[in-house]
Amino acid sequence: MADTGPKAGPGMAGTAEIIGRTQRLVFFLSRMWAWAFLALMIVFFVVTVPIASNGSVHFLTIRNSQNILVAITPVLLLGLGQTFVIIGKGIDLSVGWVMSLASVLSALAARAVFDAGMPLFVSVAAALLAALAGSALVGLLNGVIIAKLKVPAFIVTLGSSFIVRGIALLMSENTTVIGLPPGIRDYGNDALFYYIRGEESGLYFFRRPEVSGELLRRMDAILPYPVVFTAIIVALAAFVLRKTQFGRHTYAIGGSLDAALRTGIPVDRLIISLYVLSASTAGIAGFLSTLRFAAGSAVIGDPLLLSSIAAVIIGGVSLFGGAGTVIGTVIGALIIAVLTTGLVMLNVAAFWQFIVIGTVVIIAVLIDQSRDLLVGRDRPGSGS
Amino acid sequence: MEPLLSIRRLTKRFGGLVAVRDVSWDVYPGEVVALLGDNGAGKSTLIKCISGVHNADEGELFFEGKPAQFARPIDARNHGIETIYQDLALANNLDVSANIFLGREVKLSYLGGLIRMLDEVHMLREARDALRSLEIHFPNLTRPIESLSGGQRQAVAIARAVYWDAKLVIMDEPTNNLGVPEQQKVLELIRRLRDSGVPVILITHTLPDVFAVADRLMVMHRGRKVTEKKISETSTPELVQYMVGALDDTR
């Protein structure tokens, strides 16, 4: 160490170097497997979907790619906050119902503000504020109980998910919140670009062309606003996790809570922030779903919880804490969406999706563990 | 020469148990002093009174000639007393420079402080310099330290203490769980620390380490200081006698 570099002892250099190389290779492969798997799946569906439909349907079309992007936004948003929480060695089981609560709250707020005579964009802003305030409050309570009262995150967020479920159903009066301002749907469905296939100068920016019939059938919406909005949040999250002190400390508490405490990291405050962040991204997911369907739903979020955790795990975030990336979670969410869409287009019974996704999750964890084994994360005396 | 650290008649009780009884001790600049004793002799309690984990019930502490009373570990660290415990307080999933700057990251500010991002280039350069000043050479500073050996991690912890201007380093059993070549390197690092003017208090069971690296030593038995000697004036059999309580200079 001190003088002679990494060598373990005389004559050990060769072996150490080979182990080092193997480790690096395993590391590289285990990092990249999700990308490779995604690429492989896309190729698979690009080949098989036309065959199964006798050439009438293709997988990699503009419309289908946009559908996949729209489909992953809620799962991805739930997964983003979860990525931070799990890297910090926690878990947030409440995000599904928090998304539902946010959807109901934002629908109620949008309706109330619009009915009070305010313009549409004000009611959309009110919807966003209501969604964020409600969800952040849940996150704050989760975080405080976990950090200050030292109750395990699993228990706290399990409990709060039931509480939030009850509140969401009560506030929605167990029905879909409708009667939202007309036009709110545009915010949730319009796109940056429109393209009409086969039309000269068929590209439109920022406005939906007034077309119908055959032209409407040939029109694709490219980059719908919820996708753009989510992409911005993804970029922000990646920056925060990778480039800021907050992100660095999140990795630190996941890697060694003890080291974080002793080096003076404000651990409690950090943990509370993580749950506020996680609830907030769920809140944004709820807000976007309200815009998209022009309705608030108290049951929209819960089915997405497990998919979002699956996306995080497939993306390489370690449930043991301390490892993972935002881009990994994006890949994980894409894998789930591509699998689901592709299998539907192959006319495979929907139940098979669950079997395939479940298998992929378990494989992902196996790869994660084999990496730990090979680099010796759990060897005795490693100090964690 | 003025002592860097002076302990005067320090006593620490836990309920009815007297863990440290009336200990006075000086540590001088540029020396390695070993703190010896059997399990339960009071070594750890004494150290924790110095590093701010415990507050002494009686007695005084002087650091750099001034009365010092550290209520919390962070106070001791701010005064330049770095304690390296056996688990090293490193995050194994982070790289060397992230660990050296853990909790004290250097940031770049943009837009009047609205955006603050880690200055990784600066931290990596400083980490490299800190390691070089201790003649520690790692091939790669940007990989998680879980791939480092126990001795290399020990070196990271020492480099961190030195980088943050430690005036006194306390090390708790630093050669435990290390292979023999690694032990030698850690001891070499302790010597280098001393030669750069930073005194080291070495808590250990391992008598060969004491003779290899320490200038002086102090032995505790049942909470009391039973002897204080120069290395050249003692031997392993004699030290064992002190540690088991068969010899006692205060009687």
Side-chain angles (χ1 to χ4, degrees):
Chain A
M1 158 216 60
D3 289 319
T4 51
K7 294 167 200 164
M12 296 287 287
T15 324
E17 199 167 298
I18 291 165
I19 291 171
R21 260 191 215 141
T22 319
Q23 276 185 6
R24 246 167 286 161
L25 188 69
V26 170
F27 238 91
F28 182 74
L29 288 179
S30 63
R31 285 245 179 85
M32 295 331 251
W33 82 271
W35 293 82
F37 186 70
L38 178 62
L40 209 72
M41 264 185 0
I42 291 174
V43 170
F44 174 77
F45 288 125
V46 164
V47 172
T48 53
V49 167
I51 295 173
S53 63
N54 290 323
S56 64
V57 182
H58 293 271
F59 184 72
L60 212 57
T61 58
I62 292 177
R63 177 166 295 179
N64 200 34
S65 68
Q66 297 307 307
N67 284 345
I68 288 176
L69 289 181
V70 170
I72 70 166
T73 45
V75 174
L76 183 53
L77 282 167
L78 295 187
L80 273 186
Q82 193 78 266
T83 300
F84 281 77
V85 169
I86 296 182
I87 289 174
K89 217 171 194 163
I91 183 92
D92 190 344
L93 299 179
S94 70
V95 288
W97 287 105
V98 168
M99 177 183 168
S100 295
L101 176 69
S103 171
V104 170
L105 282 176
S106 55
L108 292 174
R111 191 169 68 186
V113 169
F114 192 74
D115 288 353
M118 297 290 188
L120 179 61
F121 77 91
V122 175
S123 92
V124 171
L128 178 60
L129 272 179
L132 281 177
S135 54
L137 182 65
V138 177
L140 183 69
L141 292 174
N142 279 339
V144 167
I145 295 171
I146 292 163
K148 296 289 183 191
L149 304 180
K150 315 289 178 205
V151 184
F154 189 95
I155 312 278
V156 174
T157 57
L158 180 70
S160 69
S161 89
F162 276 97
I163 296 168
V164 170
R165 173 188 195 165
I167 295 172
L169 290 168
L170 279 171
M171 296 195 73
S172 69
E173 290 160 350
N174 198 18
T175 177
T176 308
V177 181
I178 51 170
L180 267 58
I184 204 168
R185 192 184 283 270
D186 296 345
Y187 280 83
N189 293 280
D190 278 2
L192 278 187
F193 311 111
Y194 291 92
Y195 179 66
I196 300 178
R197 270 168 286 149
E199 181 97 328
E200 272 179 56
S201 67
L203 193 59
Y204 299 83
F205 297 93
F206 307 120
R207 61 187 179 84
R208 176 185 283 272
E210 301 289 337
V211 293
S212 57
E214 171 63 15
L215 281 182
L216 187 61
R217 213 179 61 74
R218 284 199 274 126
M219 184 180 78
D220 290 324
I222 302 173
L223 296 181
Y225 288 129
V227 173
V228 176
F229 196 52
T230 305
I232 292 169
I233 292 167
V234 166
L236 274 176
F239 174 80
V240 168
L241 186 60
R242 178 73 190 80
K243 293 288 180 192
T244 69
Q245 192 172 36
F246 180 84
R248 176 63 54 84
H249 288 177
T250 302
Y251 281 108
I253 62 169
S256 168
L257 191 61
D258 221 34
L261 277 168
R262 290 224 234 104
T263 47
I265 291 173
V267 169
D268 288 356
R269 210 172 67 204
L270 183 64
I271 290 175
I272 293 169
S273 314
L274 289 177
Y275 288 92
V276 171
L277 177 74
S278 164
S280 300
T281 62
I284 291 171
F287 164 72
L288 289 180
S289 91
T290 294
L291 293 190
R292 187 170 163 213
F293 300 113
S297 164
V299 293
I300 190 128
D302 185 49
L304 301 176
L305 168 70
L306 291 179
S307 293
S308 74
I309 294 180
V312 171
I313 301 298
I314 292 172
V317 176
S318 167
L319 266 185
F320 304 111
T325 58
V326 165
I327 191 69
T329 297
V330 175
I331 299 293
L334 274 173
I335 285 178
I336 291 178
V338 166
L339 257 176
T340 310
T341 317
L343 291 177
V344 167
M345 293 173 86
L346 286 179
N347 283 323
V348 176
F351 316 114
W352 283 99
Q353 297 164 21
F354 302 130
I355 294 171
V356 175
I357 291 170
T359 310
V360 175
V361 168
I362 292 172
I363 291 173
V365 173
L366 282 175
I367 290 175
D368 188 36
Q369 281 185 359
S370 65
R371 174 175 60 198
D372 288 356
L373 215 66
L374 267 145
V375 300
R377 188 180 284 168
D378 293 323
R379 87 192 136 192
S382 66
S384 55
Chain B
M1 189 164 42
E2 284 286 303
L4 181 72
L5 174 75
S6 279
I7 301 168
R8 287 291 166 268
R9 313 208 61 167
L10 189 144
T11 297
K12 174 69 188 173
R13 297 187 195 88
F14 295 106
L17 176 83
V18 186
V20 176
R21 188 191 296 269
D22 202 19
V23 169
S24 296
W25 193 34
D26 292 319
V27 176
Y28 292 90
E31 67 171 356
V32 176
V33 281
L35 177 52
L36 294 168
D38 202 357
N39 287 334
K43 306 182 302 262
S44 293
T45 307
L46 178 64
I47 289 309
K48 285 175 177 167
C49 289
I50 300 172
S51 63
V53 177
H54 295 323
N55 293 318
D57 294 311
E58 287 165 32
E60 288 169 297
L61 214 66
F62 298 90
F63 191 67
E64 297 184 298
K66 293 186 282 285
Q69 195 59 258
F70 306 124
R72 293 170 304 151
I74 192 75
D75 298 334
R77 289 182 70 201
N78 289 339
H79 278 80
I81 299 179
E82 287 278 345
T83 309
I84 300 174
Y85 291 99
Q86 279 184 47
D87 67 0
L88 304 176
L90 299 175
N92 286 332
N93 58 331
L94 297 177
D95 66 20
V96 173
S97 86
N99 268 291
I100 286 180
F101 285 89
L102 198 58
R104 298 181 269 203
E105 287 83 1
V106 180
K107 283 160 286 184
L108 291 167
S109 279
Y110 298 101
L111 304 178
L114 192 68
I115 299 173
R116 288 145 65 88
M117 61 189 276
L118 297 172
D119 190 348
E120 301 199 59
V121 175
H122 173 78
M123 289 193 279
L124 182 61
R125 193 171 54 226
E126 293 285 300
R128 188 168 287 140
D129 289 349
L131 293 174
R132 195 176 292 145
S133 73
L134 289 166
E135 294 177 40
I136 304 164
H137 304 289
F138 293 153
N140 191 337
L141 298 182
T142 56
R143 289 183 45 225
I145 62 165
E146 67 196 349
S147 59
L148 299 181
S149 70
Q152 288 174 321
R153 275 196 288 248
Q154 187 78 241
V156 174
I158 294 170
R160 176 165 68 187
V162 171
Y163 180 79
W164 292 104
D165 286 330
K167 293 172 182 147
L168 169 67
V169 173
I170 303 170
M171 299 179 78
D172 189 4
E173 303 278 7
T175 58
N176 262 18
N177 302 323
L178 294 185
V180 174
E182 294 254 278
Q183 290 180 5
Q184 296 308 316
K185 285 167 189 165
V186 168
L187 294 178
E188 175 56 34
L189 218 45
I190 292 172
R191 282 188 209 105
R192 209 168 285 144
L193 216 50
R194 171 192 60 197
D195 295 345
S196 69
V198 180
V200 178
I201 298 177
L202 183 65
I203 308 164
T204 185
H205 276 94
T206 321
L207 291 180
D209 285 1
V210 176
F211 286 98
V213 77
D215 302 296
R216 289 192 307 125
L217 60 86
M218 190 259 264
V219 183
M220 290 182 74
H221 182 67
R222 292 192 181 163
R224 292 182 312 114
K225 176 169 110 175
V226 291
T227 192
E228 194 175 351
K229 282 185 182 302
K230 284 187 177 159
I231 287 296
S232 52
E233 293 167 353
T234 187
S235 63
T236 301
E238 189 188 42
L239 286 181
V240 172
Q241 299 262 298
Y242 279 113
M243 284 166 73
V244 299
L247 281 175
D248 187 343
D249 291 356
T250 60
R251 274 206 293 257

